[in-house]
Amino acid sequence: MTGSWVMAKTEAAMAEADAGFGTRVKENQRRVFQIAYSVLGDRADAEEVAQEAFLQAYQNSRALRDEEKFRGWVNRIAFRLALNRQRATRRRLTRDTAWQSGTPVTADAAKSAEDRLLLAHLRQAIEKLPRELRAVIQLSVVEEMDATQVGAVLGIPAGTVRSRLHTARKLLLEAMK
Amino acid sequence: MNNACMKWKEQLLEAALAEMAETELQEHLSQCPDCAAELETLRAKRERMDSVLPLIATAEEPSPDLRARIMAATETSKVRPMRLMWGAWALAGVIALVVIAVTVNWVRNRENKEMAATVQTAQQLAEWQSPTADLLKVPGQELLNSSPRLGESYISIPMEERKGEKP
């Protein structure tokens, strides 16, 4: 009797936790995807990273309790996973396609061919930025990410984010000449 | 932009990003059509950059089934905590066994040391002799035990000392 009551309570609690997690995924998936996509520039890769980030969040039950903590945590883990995947992809590309020249074609669904060209040019320019500037610009272009949230992901103050963003934009504008 | 205006390059970039030029630059722009044109070009590029830059993150939307895939992945991962739990129990068991073995070994060593100390004490007790026999010994017992022969004394006196004696 007592055992079945405990089981029923446990299952109810787990179902409630799963429903809560489902809501968190719904609220955060677009931003998490964008964080990964801004680094990787590939939808399939970005989705895999987003899935992995949420999976890690699910397994870290302590991070789920507070909405703000969850948001910051999943942002950080998604960015870190995306950078790791980018490094691995670069190594693989260097190894497998060392004989090729030029940059890999991305599947950016930009509005026009002109936009696509400019986007590819900007991606190249961003890749050439120093790492700390690159990270700031990649996160700042994500929707719903203000300087405070970018700073939370990178572990730097919001003022430093603004300063680095200004420098990054200046370098990109110079690169557009 | 001519060579004389190269010193304004940095300020032109700043002005293009900030939408406004400093007073010093404004004065120069009013006299230099080249730099004024350059600033307009930079502002147009900046606007173009700002319109395209967000596409780096937003050019594509996540698949509609992304959430379902994430939830499916978490369902699959529910097996993992059980596995992790078994792993944790196994690790705890191994640690407990090691702790028990170390404790038993330590207790045995301690008992062996205590036993060795007891045996040593018993041995010392068995070898112990009362000091009374030594205390009862008379000084010169050896001399007394041997009786002098005829013409000898108990104490032998060196001859040289005798020579030095006054008659």
Side-chain angles (χ1 to χ4, degrees):
Chain A
M1 179 71 183
T2 313
S4 61
W5 184 81
V6 170
M7 283 289 286
K9 282 284 178 191
T10 310
E11 279 174 13
M14 283 175 73
E16 194 182 339
D18 282 355
F21 181 73
T23 311
R24 296 270 162 87
V25 172
K26 191 179 178 184
E27 289 167 354
N28 292 280
Q29 63 169 351
R30 191 159 185 269
R31 190 189 60 262
V32 168
F33 168 82
Q34 285 184 1
I35 289 172
Y37 186 77
S38 72
V39 175
L40 298 164
D42 180 87
R43 191 166 85 170
D45 281 352
E47 285 188 349
E48 280 180 25
V49 163
Q51 186 173 315
E52 180 61 25
F54 280 112
L55 199 57
Q56 288 193 18
Y58 180 75
Q59 288 169 340
N60 187 340
S61 57
R62 281 175 301 175
L64 296 174
R65 290 177 193 162
D66 187 315
E67 166 60 28
E68 270 308 303
K69 276 186 186 170
F70 178 85
R71 189 184 163 96
W73 194 87
V74 81
N75 285 351
R76 272 195 300 279
I77 198 72
F79 188 60
R80 187 174 61 76
L81 288 172
L83 289 179
N84 288 348
R85 182 173 281 247
Q86 188 189 40
R87 279 188 212 110
T89 307
R90 272 184 193 153
R91 275 199 297 273
R92 201 174 60 239
L93 281 172
T94 310
R95 193 181 63 234
D96 297 347
T97 61
W99 53 275
Q100 288 179 328
S101 62
T103 53
V105 178
T106 58
D108 292 321
K111 289 172 190 170
S112 65
E114 201 182 340
D115 280 358
R116 276 203 299 278
L117 272 176
L118 181 57
L119 193 56
H121 183 63
L122 279 172
R123 276 197 184 279
Q124 282 180 353
I126 288 170
E127 286 300 309
K128 286 174 188 166
L129 289 176
R131 193 176 55 186
E132 66 273 13
L133 299 182
R134 187 166 65 233
V136 164
I137 201 99
Q138 282 168 337
L139 288 168
S140 297
V141 293
V142 173
E143 288 175 357
E144 306 169 29
M145 290 281 278
D146 58 17
T148 309
Q149 284 166 352
V150 172
V153 172
L154 299 174
I156 55 175
T160 310
V161 171
R162 288 188 200 99
S163 160
R164 286 183 186 176
L165 183 59
H166 180 78
T167 310
R169 288 180 73 223
K170 194 159 76 178
L171 290 172
L172 289 180
L173 184 59
E174 221 173 345
M176 284 178 72
K177 281 186 175 178
Chain B
M1 190 190 289
N2 57 47
N3 285 339
C5 293
M6 284 303 286
K7 66 175 182 177
W8 297 103
K9 185 185 164 190
E10 187 72 14
Q11 288 187 50
L12 284 170
L13 276 171
E14 290 287 347
L17 287 169
E19 289 270 11
M20 52 185 285
E22 290 177 5
T23 317
E24 197 182 1
L25 178 63
Q26 280 177 350
E27 284 174 13
H28 172 71
L29 290 173
S30 63
Q31 297 162 5
C32 179
D34 282 356
C35 282
E38 176 70 10
L39 180 59
E40 285 310 306
T41 308
L42 283 173
R43 279 181 174 156
K45 281 183 179 175
R46 195 262 302 158
E47 279 174 16
R48 186 98 178 87
M49 179 181 80
D50 285 349
S51 69
V52 173
L53 206 50
L55 293 176
I56 284 167
T58 61
E60 291 202 44
E61 289 291 317
S63 307
D65 66 339
L66 177 62
R67 184 170 170 241
R69 277 191 279 142
I70 291 167
M71 295 311 288
T74 55
E75 279 295 319
T76 313
S77 78
K78 279 179 185 170
V79 182
R80 285 166 68 184
M82 288 298 289
R83 283 183 191 158
L84 284 174
M85 234 163 71
W86 281 112
W89 278 112
L91 184 65
V94 169
I95 290 170
L97 281 176
V98 169
V99 168
I100 289 167
V102 168
T103 310
V104 166
N105 193 34
W106 179 74
V107 168
R108 278 186 182 171
N109 278 344
R110 197 179 164 190
E111 281 174 356
N112 286 343
K113 278 179 186 173
E114 282 175 1
M115 183 61 81
T118 308
V119 168
Q120 195 182 0
T121 308
Q123 200 170 353
Q124 283 173 348
L125 276 172
E127 289 171 358
W128 182 79
Q129 286 181 344
S130 168
T132 317
D134 287 335
L135 290 171
L136 289 174
K137 276 184 183 172
V138 178
Q141 186 69 41
E142 287 177 7
L143 288 172
L144 292 173
N145 286 346
S146 58
S147 55
R149 291 178 187 173
L150 193 62
E152 287 181 349
S153 65
Y154 280 104
I155 303 164
S156 63
I157 300 164
M159 292 301 289
E160 287 177 4
E161 284 183 18
R162 280 191 179 179
K163 283 177 185 176
E165 279 180 4
K166 287 182 182 177

